[in-house]
Amino acid sequence: MNTLTVTSKDQFLKQLEEELFRKLPQEEAERVSAFSRQHLMHLPLEEALSRSFQDAYGSVLAAWQFVQKRPQDQILVSVFNPDLESEGWQSTHTVVFILHPNIPFLIDSVRMAINRQGIGTHTIHHSIAAVDRDEAGTLRSLTAPGGQNEHPLEALIVLEIDRRSDQQELEHLESLLQDVLHEVRIVVSDFQAMKQKAMEIASELDSSVANITPEDAAEARAFFDWLSKDHFTFLGYDEYDFVSDKKGTNVCRVKNSELGILRVNNERSAEVAMRELPRRTRSQMTRNDELFIFAKSAQRSRVHRPAYPDYIAVKKFDSNGEVVGERRFLGLYTSRAYSGLPEEIPVVRRKVQAVAERSGFLKDDYAGKELDQILAVYPRDELFQISVDELYETALDILYIQERRQIRVFMREDVYGQFVTCLAFVPRDIYNTELRLKIEEVLCKYLDAEDISFVTQFSESVLARVQFTIRVPQVGNRVLPVAEIQEKVIELAQSWRDGLAAALQESCGEERGNELLNRYAAGFPASYQHLFTPRRAAVDVEHLSAVAEGQPLSISLYKSLDEDSSMVHFKLFNPGVELPLSDIMPIFENFGFRVIGEHPFEIVDTEGRAVWIHDFSLQSRSGEEVDMPRLRPIFEELFRRVWLGEGENDSFNRLLLSSYLDWRQIALLRAYARYMQQIRFSNSQSFIASSLVNHVKLTDLILQMFDNRFNPERQQSEAKSQAVQQKLELEFNAGLEEVENLSEDRVLRLYLDLIRATLRTNFYQMDGQGQPKPYISIKLDPRSIPDMPLPLPMYEIFVYSARVEGVHLRGGKVARGGLRWSDRFEDYRTEILGQVNAQQVKNAVNVPVGAKGGFVAKQLPDPSDREAFQAEGVEAYKTFIRGLLDITDNLVEAGIQPPQDVVRQDGDDHYLVVAADKGTATFSDIAN
């Protein structure tokens, strides 16, 4: 740590000087002290104090040693990690020392080279001194520049950069800096030669016989004069001739014409066939009525600025006025070129004047002044390259959107087909870095961009302008997708609220859309807006509105673009409170999905009503593709039934995804499975469900056989029905041959046996609202079912729903008995069958056969709430009786006698007597 207490640079330098005189001989100390003051002149005090004093002292001595010897024409570059043991000082960073003759562009070129490697710079400072050396390059004296000193100036540059420990990486960086500095020296040494070339070309224009008017020639000479007056940094120069032979015309570089960086860094071919160039390029290169071609180089500059250098090509003409070659200057416009007015720049001023005249606007009226302002701030690079026609159209379009908060995109391809320039105008209040990056992504995608850079311009206008320069592959006859890109940019730039407003008006109409927007626009949290587009939110708003207005819940199954085919998303809209995941996730698991993720959002409308959105990411457990058109309606219906208690949440629901069965079909298969349980079938319900899931084709045949026998819409003759049934059974038996598991074989065969034994069903009956009934009744012939427990009743009715299950057993066509509310869920049929036997023995004299029914209530509340418990029992009774009535002529036929004493009559004309506890109860139907 720094133990010095200093408040100024002079105090720091004085302390350093004292340390030098304390440790070094006086003469050496005097020389090093003078050097240190020169070396640290421009170093901020904060940086000087950011390290320990001993390390600052060691750094100065290391720099002094570094400048001691520099052989003539050599550039010294050292990249190292100072070590306390070997150097006597240390740094947490890697240190770079550079000693170079003082020429322009050193600091910025070195900084650019380091930045391109992705290396951060912590400290950079340099000093310039007049240096006297002997013939071997050994230092004699070092003094401050200026005055009468005639010694050459040298620049010492010191940087501290992100630490690099790999020696090869340090050596690579050192070599890279040498290469960059070599380019800088070449550019500086050839600068005057390139400038002289420009003046020579300007003087030659007087004797040109090209189709160039005297006015054009004068403007060109003025342009060269403008370039030479510190408006253009010349980086390179070369010449090309157009050489024709039998095969065509070739563009050939003139040997030894290169100057500047084109002498050392020329990756272009020395010769290229004219026919291989894009048509636009060929046309522009051979036009004899224009003198200049302005374009960009495809390689970023490593000197001065990290930009794409500008090409200025001057055409060469033969005696007939035909174009026979080009002389090209490569360089960078200086800051003076960008800060000056277009009217002050030769060539450009003629374009600007032509546009103003063509517009027909008066110079002093509103439109004229606005157009003048647009042209004044138009990107300078573009003003050089763009044609008058393109500039006129673009400038007027910009004028029309100037204060209208419209988003517009203008694009132009350069003459060589290597760059596309995009000007994007976006409302200033919504422009930010995130939006700019998104626009860059769109441009890169549509144009196959190899590189992209940007410049943002703000003014008093409500619009911000972003200029993108996009390097693209060189292709012939490129068509710029301006409309598509602009539409995408509008979508990106649109505020989320604006997008929601447009989406709601599109889906609901203007009046309803505005009503919903005002109610919900402020209610969506930022986390929701980040994940979902306004169009998706417009869909959700309709669900939110329905739930807020009293609907118990709303659901939405959807799929995202560019996502795995096995993935789907599910939204659950619930009023008031956030739902526990433990209540929801088992449902998805039983549907055959894995829950990948969940995002909850609380949406509150302007009236303070809250609705929670739970957004789940689901993936099919099998990993197979999900057929969304088939899945969506049956998924949503099944979830709704399960959530509201009208469907059961068990492994049978896997048939949703494996076989795309709807909730009623699943309930039918589950009903038969529940009956199997009551007739003492040994396999579990889960195994039965798995057997159906594992054999999709056989499951489908089971449902087809049931449908063929009982669907009233088929309306086919008995003979045809039997023929179809026989065909289906043949296919089913053939399919059983492929079932390897014997237990699964037993399950599937029993389904077939039960369907054969089924006499009647209410499966296809509708309720008063035209909807399927929430319960299923099946009348069976027990004597047709193999391995049935004895004794066998003549008829049996099985009623199934998520709320209640029950059976009614009848020993004959005339029978007598009652009903029982049972609590033996696993084997209530066994209980009822025993009561039937007992009744037949007891009443053998009066009624030769008995009848008995019983059921279990499956959704009973806690018994501590006796009133609610009893009410649910009553509802279970009602459902069971309705199930019996659906497939019997009347209750008397079913063996149920009217009660002697009627305690209460309900609204469905059903009479009931309920015992004080769970005992017997008698129902009768007297509606008829």
Side-chain angles (χ1 to χ4, degrees):
M1 297 294 292
N2 194 352
T3 58
L4 295 177
T5 303
V6 295
T7 59
S8 68
K9 175 74 78 64
D10 287 339
Q11 288 181 352
F12 174 79
L13 293 174
K14 186 175 181 180
Q15 294 281 2
L16 183 62
E17 185 176 302
E18 291 175 357
E19 187 73 3
L20 290 170
F21 278 96
R22 190 173 67 84
K23 292 186 176 181
L24 299 177
Q26 182 171 352
E27 182 179 351
E28 181 75 4
E30 289 176 354
R31 298 181 69 193
V32 177
S33 178
F35 166 77
S36 66
R37 287 187 173 273
Q38 179 72 17
H39 176 56
L40 301 177
M41 180 183 302
H42 301 295
L43 181 70
L45 178 62
E46 295 78 16
E47 290 196 20
L49 298 177
S50 63
R51 65 175 71 185
S52 72
F53 181 76
Q54 289 304 315
D55 288 337
Y57 172 82
S59 174
V60 170
L61 286 182
W64 170 252
Q65 294 298 325
F66 185 71
V67 303
Q68 290 305 301
K69 187 169 184 178
R70 186 182 72 83
Q72 191 174 8
D73 297 331
Q74 283 195 15
I75 306 304
L76 300 185
V77 178
S78 178
V79 183
F80 63 102
N81 295 318
D83 179 75
L84 189 62
E85 294 183 352
S86 57
E87 277 87 7
W89 67 288
Q90 64 185 7
S91 173
T92 57
H93 310 301
T94 292
V95 177
V96 180
F97 282 172
I98 298 174
L99 188 62
H100 194 288
N102 186 47
I103 60 175
F105 313 140
L106 286 178
I107 301 296
D108 40 15
S109 299
V110 167
R111 187 177 62 246
M112 282 162 46
I114 292 174
N115 289 341
R116 278 197 302 269
Q117 302 302 305
I119 301 174
T121 300
H122 299 272
T123 299
I124 179 169
H125 70 279
H126 74 290
S127 57
I128 300 172
V131 181
D132 180 23
R133 298 184 183 275
D134 62 19
E135 294 181 356
T138 302
L139 180 68
R140 288 174 177 166
S141 66
L142 182 149
T143 57
Q148 302 298 318
N149 202 319
E150 297 181 356
H151 296 306
L153 300 180
E154 293 185 4
L156 174 63
I157 304 171
V158 178
L159 302 97
E160 292 193 18
I161 61 176
D162 290 342
R163 191 174 185 87
R164 294 290 189 272
S165 301
D166 188 290
Q167 187 60 34
Q168 289 185 342
E169 193 171 358
L170 298 179
E171 293 173 358
H172 169 73
L173 182 57
E174 189 172 303
S175 175
L176 174 66
L177 292 174
Q178 286 280 12
D179 292 342
V180 169
L181 292 170
H182 178 61
E183 287 189 16
V184 173
R185 291 197 303 278
I186 294 295
V187 168
V188 173
S189 65
D190 285 357
F191 183 83
Q192 289 302 324
M194 291 184 282
K195 190 173 181 179
Q196 184 61 35
K197 279 286 185 183
M199 302 315 297
E200 290 175 4
I201 294 171
S203 64
E204 292 174 5
L205 294 175
D206 290 332
S207 58
S208 173
V209 294
N211 296 329
I212 303 298
T213 66
E215 293 80 8
D216 291 339
E219 190 73 1
R221 288 193 298 274
F223 177 66
F224 278 118
D225 184 59
W226 178 83
L227 289 177
S228 302
K229 292 180 178 178
D230 195 27
H231 290 107
F232 192 74
T233 301
F234 292 94
L235 299 179
Y237 170 84
D238 60 1
E239 295 185 23
Y240 286 83
D241 288 335
F242 299 166
V243 180
S244 300
D245 56 23
K246 294 180 180 180
K247 295 182 179 179
T249 301
N250 295 328
V251 182
C252 304
R253 187 165 59 237
V254 176
K255 190 175 182 180
N256 298 326
S257 64
E258 302 93 334
L259 293 173
I261 60 174
L262 296 181
R263 274 205 288 141
V264 294
N265 185 26
N266 194 345
E267 300 178 357
R268 296 168 299 157
S269 173
E271 182 175 336
V272 62
M274 184 74 79
R275 65 178 179 274
E276 295 178 0
L277 298 174
R279 183 184 304 171
R280 175 190 178 98
T281 305
R282 295 198 305 269
S283 174
Q284 191 67 27
M285 290 175 67
T286 56
R287 287 184 60 175
N288 62 2
D289 59 341
E290 290 184 353
L291 183 60
F292 293 106
I293 297 177
F294 297 96
K296 290 278 188 183
S297 169
Q299 300 297 323
R300 285 187 181 273
S301 171
R302 298 207 297 180
V303 177
H304 187 33
R305 291 206 313 266
Y308 290 107
D310 290 276
Y311 263 126
I312 303 175
V314 189
K315 296 176 183 178
K316 296 191 292 186
F317 301 90
D318 63 11
S319 58
N320 297 320
E322 298 299 323
V323 181
V324 294
E326 292 179 353
R327 288 170 285 197
R328 301 181 182 178
F329 293 92
L330 181 68
L332 298 166
Y333 293 107
T334 65
S335 58
R336 292 184 62 188
Y338 291 102
S339 60
L341 294 174
E343 292 83 354
E344 300 171 351
I345 305 174
V347 177
V348 168
R349 62 193 176 192
R350 299 182 77 187
K351 294 182 182 180
V352 171
Q353 183 179 358
V355 169
E357 292 176 354
R358 186 186 297 187
S359 71
F361 299 143
L362 296 176
K363 188 174 180 63
D364 294 330
D365 73 356
Y366 170 80
K369 290 180 179 179
E370 287 296 312
L371 180 61
D372 182 67
Q373 176 64 19
I374 290 168
L375 295 172
V377 298
Y378 205 86
R380 289 292 179 271
D381 297 346
E382 282 294 283
L383 284 177
F384 283 110
Q385 298 178 40
I386 196 169
S387 69
V388 173
D389 291 339
E390 289 178 302
L391 180 59
Y392 171 77
E393 293 177 1
T394 304
L396 259 62
D397 283 344
I398 295 172
L399 174 63
Y400 295 145
I401 67 166
Q402 193 74 339
E403 299 301 327
R404 301 184 185 183
R405 288 184 56 84
Q406 291 185 2
I407 297 169
R408 285 294 303 274
V409 170
F410 304 94
M411 303 181 71
R412 186 192 62 82
E413 182 182 16
D414 82 329
V415 64
Y416 294 118
Q418 295 178 315
F419 287 89
V420 171
T421 301
C422 172
L423 296 180
F425 289 83
V426 180
R428 185 172 55 186
D429 57 342
I430 64 173
Y431 176 78
N432 54 35
T433 301
E434 182 181 2
L435 175 59
R436 191 259 303 167
L437 291 172
K438 290 179 179 179
I439 296 175
E440 283 187 6
E441 289 180 8
V442 172
L443 293 171
C444 290
K445 176 182 177 182
Y446 277 88
L447 300 175
D448 295 326
E450 298 172 351
D451 192 21
I452 189 168
S453 59
F454 76 97
V455 176
T456 304
Q457 189 248 352
F458 293 97
S459 65
E460 295 179 355
S461 170
V462 298
L463 300 177
R465 186 192 72 195
V466 193
Q467 176 190 357
F468 297 97
T469 303
I470 309 121
R471 184 158 62 86
V472 294
Q474 195 173 34
V475 297
N477 306 320
R478 176 184 279 109
V479 177
L480 297 176
V482 181
E484 293 89 336
I485 290 176
Q486 178 169 286
E487 182 178 349
K488 195 67 179 177
V489 171
I490 290 174
E491 181 181 331
L492 292 172
Q494 201 173 38
S495 72
W496 199 87
R497 181 191 173 96
D498 290 342
L500 179 61
L504 286 172
Q505 289 183 12
E506 179 184 355
S507 60
C508 306
E510 183 175 0
E511 182 178 1
R512 176 63 174 166
N514 288 335
E515 177 188 340
L516 292 174
L517 178 69
N518 294 332
R519 186 188 304 174
Y520 288 106
F524 289 97
S527 56
Y528 180 97
Q529 297 181 28
H530 178 72
L531 288 177
F532 299 105
T533 65
R535 295 191 70 182
R536 180 68 235 182
V539 176
D540 290 348
V541 163
E542 297 188 44
H543 293 282
L544 292 168
S545 178
V547 172
E549 292 171 2
Q551 187 172 302
L553 87 159
S554 189
I555 55 182
S556 172
L557 185 72
Y558 67 98
K559 197 169 183 64
S560 295
L561 294 174
D562 303 325
E563 206 168 46
D564 188 271
S565 59
S566 63
M567 292 285 296
V568 297
H569 296 268
F570 178 78
K571 282 183 180 174
L572 175 61
F573 302 81
N574 189 69
V577 296
E578 184 177 6
L579 295 171
L581 292 181
S582 58
D583 291 351
I584 307 172
M585 292 182 67
I587 299 177
F588 297 134
E589 294 287 338
N590 283 328
F591 280 15
F593 287 98
R594 291 188 303 143
V595 180
I596 305 301
E598 185 262 352
H599 295 91
F601 308 98
E602 184 183 22
I603 314 298
V604 182
D605 65 13
T606 53
E607 297 178 11
R609 295 176 298 187
V611 176
W612 278 88
I613 301 178
H614 294 266
D615 182 68
F616 294 89
S617 298
L618 310 176
Q619 184 178 40
S620 64
R621 188 166 294 279
S622 64
E624 295 180 357
E625 179 180 357
V626 175
D627 188 343
M628 277 295 288
R630 292 179 64 191
L631 180 67
R632 179 183 287 110
I634 57 177
F635 183 105
E636 294 180 354
E637 181 66 16
L638 178 58
F639 185 91
R640 184 178 289 104
R641 297 284 178 172
V642 171
W643 187 256
L644 298 178
E646 298 173 7
E648 295 199 55
N649 181 29
D650 60 16
S651 53
F652 282 91
N653 291 335
R654 286 184 294 158
L655 292 164
L656 170 81
L657 196 56
S658 66
S659 303
Y660 292 93
L661 302 185
D662 62 32
W663 78 277
R664 284 283 287 173
Q665 292 172 313
I666 294 172
L668 177 66
L669 294 170
R670 183 188 291 113
Y672 276 112
R674 293 288 191 268
Y675 185 73
M676 293 179 192
Q677 182 182 35
Q678 296 304 317
I679 61 175
R680 303 178 189 176
F681 187 66
S682 59
N683 293 111
S684 68
Q685 294 290 293
S686 178
F687 184 84
I688 295 172
S690 296
S691 300
L692 296 171
V693 170
N694 294 339
H695 303 284
V696 173
K697 292 183 179 179
L698 293 177
T699 301
D700 181 62
L701 288 171
I702 290 171
L703 291 172
Q704 286 187 51
M705 286 186 278
F706 183 88
D707 187 74
N708 178 70
R709 291 197 62 194
F710 301 109
N711 190 343
E713 294 183 359
R714 286 185 170 273
Q715 295 181 349
Q716 57 189 358
S717 65
E718 184 68 22
K720 184 176 181 180
S721 176
Q722 291 181 0
V724 172
Q725 193 74 14
Q726 289 176 359
K727 179 178 179 296
L728 291 172
E729 291 183 12
L730 287 173
E731 291 182 28
F732 185 83
N733 290 327
L736 286 174
E737 298 296 328
E738 300 178 7
V739 179
E740 298 179 355
N741 188 302
L742 291 178
S743 295
E744 290 182 347
D745 183 280
R746 287 182 62 234
V747 170
L748 297 168
R749 289 182 187 275
L750 183 53
Y751 266 103
L752 179 61
D753 291 334
L754 291 177
I755 290 174
R756 286 171 175 163
T758 301
L759 302 175
R760 300 168 73 177
T761 180
N762 75 336
F763 184 78
Y764 295 99
Q765 294 179 15
M766 298 293 124
D767 62 15
Q769 287 72 43
Q771 298 296 317
K773 295 183 176 181
Y775 53 88
I776 298 173
S777 302
I778 302 170
K779 185 175 183 179
L780 299 122
D781 178 5
R783 300 170 188 178
S784 300
I785 304 173
D787 302 322
M788 280 287 286
L790 297 175
L792 299 176
M794 176 178 286
Y795 300 113
E796 185 165 341
I797 299 175
F798 178 68
V799 178
Y800 163 80
S801 76
R803 193 172 196 176
V804 63
E805 283 181 28
V807 292
H808 187 268
L809 312 179
R810 183 149 53 98
K813 291 186 177 182
V814 178
R816 181 177 179 180
L819 305 178
R820 180 171 183 79
W821 177 4
S822 175
D823 56 5
R824 292 171 56 174
F825 183 82
E826 297 291 332
D827 62 345
Y828 56 83
R829 183 183 182 279
T830 302
E831 177 187 17
I832 304 305
L833 186 62
Q835 291 181 351
V836 170
N837 290 335
Q839 187 184 39
Q840 289 186 175
V841 173
K842 178 179 178 181
N843 298 327
V845 176
N846 299 325
V847 180
V849 291
K852 201 70 175 177
F855 53 86
V856 290
K858 298 159 66 175
Q859 297 181 5
L860 291 170
D862 192 295
S864 61
D865 188 347
R866 180 173 178 79
E867 188 172 328
F869 190 88
Q870 194 73 15
E872 179 58 30
V874 168
E875 292 302 318
Y877 275 121
K878 291 180 179 180
T879 301
F880 180 58
I881 288 297
R882 293 188 185 105
L884 296 179
L885 288 171
D886 281 347
I887 54 175
T888 57
D889 293 333
N890 54 64
L891 290 181
V892 174
E893 178 187 332
I896 302 175
Q897 302 298 322
Q900 298 297 323
D901 299 307
V902 177
V903 176
R904 181 169 63 84
Q905 177 180 351
D906 67 15
D908 292 331
D909 290 327
H910 292 148
Y911 292 80
L912 60 108
V913 176
V914 182
D917 58 0
K918 286 192 302 179
T920 61
T922 304
F923 289 71
S924 67
D925 178 83
I926 61 169
N928 296 319

